[in-house]
Amino acid sequence: RVLFRSLDRFRSYYNYVLVRPSHPGYLRVKGKTFREAVQELLASEKPRLNVLARTLTGRTNPGREHLVDAVERNYLIVSPHHRVNDTLTALVPLLGGRKRARELYVNKGAEGAMEDIGELALEFNEKNALDNDIYRYVRDHYESWLSELPARLAAVSQTSSQ
């Protein structure tokens, strides 16, 4: 199976919002199949694409080089969603907090039946290429960032105290 991480994230968002009428995105998905929601997003005059890349850089249209640079320069660690608890387990004690017993895997959409959206998946993936790139980059670097977390935090602390 080809990994369409941004599509998987959008599917989780869709499932999450679909059962929360008070969510700001609810009206965009209400009464729509996943296919219809994807079609509408892709056909939108101003589609919200590469949301992760835009969030990490603060830019509307970041390039890949700027994206990787922004992640390395501006963040102590970037966690894949399924590794947030691992990050907190390592980070909280470094910041003087107590280890948490409870996992914080939140905002996860229900696992619904996987609707095959065919060629739309390829189009979605192509239009969200930066998000897929940064997901792979984060996945590939996460273990080293996590193992270097004390040193990375010390470097940030030293820089901010100067």
Side-chain angles (χ1 to χ4, degrees):
R1 173 176 178 248
V2 176
L3 178 66
F4 294 112
R5 192 62 194 155
S6 60
L7 184 61
D8 291 343
R9 288 179 61 243
F10 185 72
R11 187 185 313 272
S12 178
Y13 168 83
Y14 166 84
N15 289 332
Y16 181 82
V17 171
L18 196 59
V19 296
R20 290 174 174 77
S22 62
H23 192 282
Y26 179 75
L27 293 178
R28 288 191 299 269
V29 299
K30 179 184 174 188
K32 295 182 179 113
T33 65
F34 182 63
R35 170 184 284 282
E36 292 167 336
V38 170
Q39 284 174 319
E40 185 175 286
L41 174 79
L42 293 174
S44 172
E45 209 171 284
K46 291 185 178 181
R48 291 190 39 103
L49 301 172
N50 293 305
V51 174
L52 181 60
R54 292 177 13 204
T55 300
L56 289 170
T57 63
R59 291 184 173 194
T60 306
N61 294 307
R64 187 179 194 288
E65 309 78 32
H66 180 76
L67 179 56
V68 169
D69 181 60
V71 166
E72 291 292 349
R73 191 171 21 86
N74 298 331
Y75 295 91
L76 179 63
I77 189 168
V78 178
S79 301
H81 194 243
H82 69 282
R83 299 293 306 268
V84 167
N85 289 312
D86 298 326
T87 303
L88 291 173
T89 297
L91 186 59
V92 168
L94 293 174
L95 297 174
R98 294 180 306 174
K99 285 192 174 185
R100 301 182 59 88
R102 194 180 112 218
E103 291 200 357
L104 295 174
Y105 193 57
V106 297
N107 291 345
K108 183 178 183 229
E111 298 289 331
M114 298 290 272
E115 179 184 352
D116 181 7
I117 62 171
E119 293 296 316
L120 277 176
L122 295 173
E123 182 180 353
F124 189 95
N125 191 48
E126 288 170 7
K127 290 188 175 182
N128 285 282
L130 278 177
D131 272 10
N132 290 321
D133 285 350
I134 200 59
Y135 173 76
R136 281 188 291 276
Y137 185 84
V138 167
R139 183 195 62 205
D140 292 348
H141 290 81
Y142 179 76
E143 288 300 328
S144 66
W145 292 337
L146 189 64
S147 68
E148 298 165 0
L149 198 55
R152 291 172 69 92
L153 181 59
V156 168
S157 298
Q158 185 179 20
T159 302
S160 64
S161 68
Q162 292 177 351

